[in-house]
Amino acid sequence: MRIFLLLLLAGLIGTAAALPLPLSNKEIALMLRSGYSSSTILAEVASRRVREPLDPATKKALAEFNASPELIAALEGNAYAASSTQTEEAKQKETKIAASRAAQVERDQKFNTLYQAQQQAARAKSADAPAAGGTLILDALKTRLVRCHDGSISPATGTELENKKYVALYYSAHWCAPCRKFTPELIDYYNRIAAAHPEFELIFVSSDRSRFSWETYIRETKMPWLAVDYEQLAELAGVSEIGGKSLPSLVVLDNGSRIVASSYDGEKYLGPQNALATLDQLFGQPPAAPVASR
């Protein structure tokens, strides 16, 4: 009996440790901005609690994102306030994640600098040497890709990014309502541009929470491009980082892995239309019709 009780206690402690951490006001605002409904967020708040009181500036932002009166009232009250222990755990976890991301970015930058130096030395050694097959990001991606076509998913060969001048990374997720609204429009754009410009390719970088959701999204929309294999996403922190925090997001790289178009202007999110407009300029195309991402 004593052993049973000890095992039960250990299980309860492990379960508590695995529980989601309380939400911050910033996370709630991002959820609204990404398409979550107020009722869904309210359910999350009831389950996970809230880390800090609702300040006037955040309340105004939530109202601008069409937060319901019920959600705002719940955040203003103390009924869903997290304990000091939960809040401290959340802060510690965020600090660890930020440190890990910063370290990964630093490693990527150092490796990229070394790689570029090696490629430059190789080109200087022999003018007849073949051109580099890609840079750090593209090299990291090409062995982790699958091919999507007409609702099916098949292994990639590893050669799909060869001779590509521009590669767009599409950050999206099945759970994101604005993403599901934008994806069919992006498919139309891709089919038009890729047919005329074989030097262009697009890769889906998922923010889905399960492989099932990832596969469902690809099959339902019949994505016609490449995708990062769901099981490989965790190994590509540097790739995920450049997509930003808002969905949908579109980042275009040249064959040197330099960003030439983005959904952002600095820290300001403009949406994927901003990247499409730049792509049209690069390809000498007429401006695309406005594409709604919200």
Side-chain angles (χ1 to χ4, degrees):
M1 178 63 71
R2 181 187 177 98
I3 294 176
F4 173 77
L5 291 174
L6 289 174
L7 290 174
L8 179 60
L9 179 59
L12 290 173
I13 292 173
T15 301
L19 291 175
L21 294 172
L23 292 163
S24 67
N25 287 330
K26 182 178 180 180
E27 289 172 323
I28 293 171
L30 285 173
M31 290 172 72
L32 277 169
R33 186 175 181 177
S34 296
Y36 281 91
S37 67
S38 291
S39 59
T40 298
I41 296 174
L42 189 55
E44 280 291 299
V45 167
S47 172
R48 296 173 56 181
R49 325 304 285 177
V50 182
R51 195 181 309 176
E52 66 266 327
L54 183 64
D55 59 88
T58 305
K59 179 179 179 180
K60 181 180 178 182
L62 295 182
E64 291 174 352
F65 295 149
N66 298 317
S68 68
E70 293 79 11
L71 175 59
I72 292 179
L75 296 175
E76 285 183 318
N78 294 321
Y80 299 112
S83 67
S84 58
T85 300
Q86 290 174 315
T87 300
E88 184 60 30
E89 287 177 354
K91 290 180 179 178
Q92 290 178 1
K93 184 174 181 180
E94 283 186 349
T95 300
K96 289 181 180 178
I97 291 174
S100 176
R101 287 178 177 172
Q104 182 64 49
V105 170
E106 184 178 358
R107 286 193 295 270
D108 288 350
Q109 289 174 341
K110 288 180 179 179
F111 191 82
N112 192 48
T113 300
L114 175 61
Y115 182 87
Q116 296 290 349
Q118 290 172 340
Q119 292 301 315
Q120 185 175 0
R123 287 192 293 268
K125 183 177 181 180
S126 174
D128 295 328
T135 57
L136 175 65
I137 290 178
L138 299 185
D139 276 347
L141 285 173
K142 67 182 182 181
T143 59
R144 294 176 165 90
L145 300 175
V146 295
R147 168 65 71 180
C148 310
H149 177 69
D150 199 26
S152 66
I153 302 171
S154 59
T157 65
T159 63
E160 285 80 3
L161 300 184
E162 291 181 1
N163 302 318
K164 298 301 180 183
K165 188 175 181 181
Y166 299 108
V167 177
L169 305 180
Y170 177 42
Y171 298 86
S172 185
H174 186 263
W175 54 259
C176 170
C179 298
R180 294 199 305 273
K181 183 177 182 181
F182 173 71
T183 296
E185 302 287 350
L186 183 59
I187 289 174
D188 290 342
Y189 182 91
Y190 173 84
N191 288 335
R192 174 168 57 86
I193 293 297
H197 297 276
E199 72 276 19
F200 171 69
E201 188 52 88
L202 188 145
I203 301 172
F204 168 44
V205 183
S206 174
S207 293
D208 284 303
R209 302 182 179 107
S210 69
R211 185 177 184 89
F212 175 79
S213 296
W214 173 77
E215 291 181 353
T216 299
Y217 193 18
I218 291 173
R219 291 194 170 107
E220 285 181 350
T221 58
K222 297 185 178 181
M223 292 184 182
W225 42 57
L226 299 170
V228 178
D229 185 5
Y230 186 81
E231 307 302 334
Q232 301 292 325
L233 288 165
E235 304 298 324
L236 297 169
V239 174
S240 299
E241 186 75 22
I242 65 173
K245 297 181 178 179
S246 294
L247 298 178
S249 179
L250 197 63
V251 175
V252 182
L253 307 176
D254 65 11
N255 55 11
S257 281
R258 293 175 290 269
I259 296 176
V260 297
S262 171
S263 296
Y264 291 82
D265 180 7
E267 295 294 322
K268 184 178 181 181
Y269 176 75
L270 301 178
Q273 302 95 328
N274 191 57
L276 293 182
T278 303
L279 271 176
D280 282 335
Q281 294 175 0
L282 293 171
F283 292 133
Q285 299 287 327
V291 178
S293 64
R294 284 288 177 269

